Structure formats: structure tokens, C-alpha cells
Amino acid sequence: TLTDEWPELVPGPQARRVASAAYLADQWLGEQAKAQELKLELTAKPGRVLLHGHCHQKALCGSAGSAAALKLVPGLDVTALDAGCCGMAGSFGYESEHYDISEKIANLELLPALRAEPDATICATGTSCRHQIRDLTTRHALHPLEIIANALR
């Protein structure tokens, strides 16, 4: 909202300055660690992580920042999925009249990618994405910050 909508709602240099300083929390954490502004003591957590970025995130800044933050955890093999939309689309998939189309969208790419790796940890940046994954696969998707928090010493 701050990067995309704020400069349109409140035009001017101050709004643009706020927009340019706004980051997703996991992206910011990764950048701080990379710049050595922050030292994280992380325990090795070997294993595969499949990262599904929220559509809005992918449209605005991509999921590379989330992937970089996850890669701070020693031993994680992180794959950012190129799996399109989860089908939830914010509140769209919560509406009963959209359930079938929402499920069809999830089954185009995302769910087959998750089924192909049943032992991988699933990571999704969007709340609605995590709900969709849980509801359609019974697997629990974590936010990147949850994975990093679980690795803190």
C-alpha cells in the first residue's frame, strides 16, 4: 500500500519518499543482514523450502528479497516457485460463488508443484495464499519470517 497506492492518494515528494523507504519485512531483514547491519545467529536447518510469493508482491517487487532472506538460514535449499496465482486473489476465493474457479487456478501450477515435493517445507508470503494451500492440500505453509524465527538460536 505504501509503495503502490500512497503516492497516488497523497501526491508529492513526501509520499514518494515514504514509498521508496517501504519494504516487506523479510526483504528488509535480508538486506540488513547482507549489508552486515544486522547479525543473525541462525541454526542450520537442512531441507527444501518451496517459496510461493503473493501476486501483489510479485507484481510490485518480486519474491527475490524473500528468497534471499530465507537463504540466510544455513542448509536451506530454497526454490522460488514460478507457479502463478494460488487462486485466492485476496478475498475472491473466500466467496462461495468463486470457489470452483479459485480451486481451478490453484490446480494450474501451484498445487502440482507442491504435490511434486511432498517432503518440502512450504513458504508463502501472502496470508490468503497460506490459507488456500492449507485448505486445498492440508499442508501448513509458513511465512518467511516464521522460518527464520524457527532457526534463531
Side-chain angles (χ1 to χ4, degrees):
T1 298
L2 288 175
T3 61
D4 187 35
E5 296 170 357
W6 187 250
E8 290 183 31
L9 292 170
V10 184
Q14 293 163 327
R16 286 192 303 274
R17 195 170 93 213
V18 168
S20 68
Y23 293 90
L24 294 172
D26 52 338
Q27 178 186 13
W28 177 86
L29 185 73
E31 289 182 11
Q32 294 300 302
K34 184 178 177 183
Q36 297 181 353
E37 296 291 326
L38 170 72
K39 178 153 175 58
L40 296 174
E41 293 188 29
L42 299 168
T43 303
K45 300 284 185 181
R48 291 269 298 144
V49 173
L50 303 177
L51 170 64
H52 176 70
H54 189 278
C55 289
H56 199 122
Q57 173 190 9
K58 290 187 276 190
L60 287 177
C61 61
S63 56
S66 297
L70 288 167
K71 290 177 184 178
L72 294 171
V73 178
L76 284 187
D77 177 14
V78 179
T79 298
L81 298 174
D82 183 17
C85 181
C86 75
M88 190 59 79
S91 63
F92 174 86
Y94 287 114
E95 298 170 358
S96 59
E97 65 268 23
H98 299 138
Y99 178 82
D100 291 340
I101 188 83
S102 175
E103 186 176 10
K104 286 178 184 174
I105 292 169
N107 273 300
L108 288 173
E109 296 180 44
L110 177 59
L111 297 185
L114 300 180
R115 282 192 293 270
E117 298 205 43
D119 296 327
T121 298
I122 302 171
C123 181
T125 57
T127 300
S128 56
C129 302
R130 292 191 300 276
H131 279 267
Q132 181 81 315
I133 290 166
R134 184 190 62 227
D135 292 345
L136 298 179
T137 69
T138 69
R139 292 170 72 184
H140 183 75
L142 300 170
H143 188 276
L145 292 178
E146 291 178 286
I147 292 173
I148 294 166
N150 289 338
L152 285 172
R153 290 186 205 178

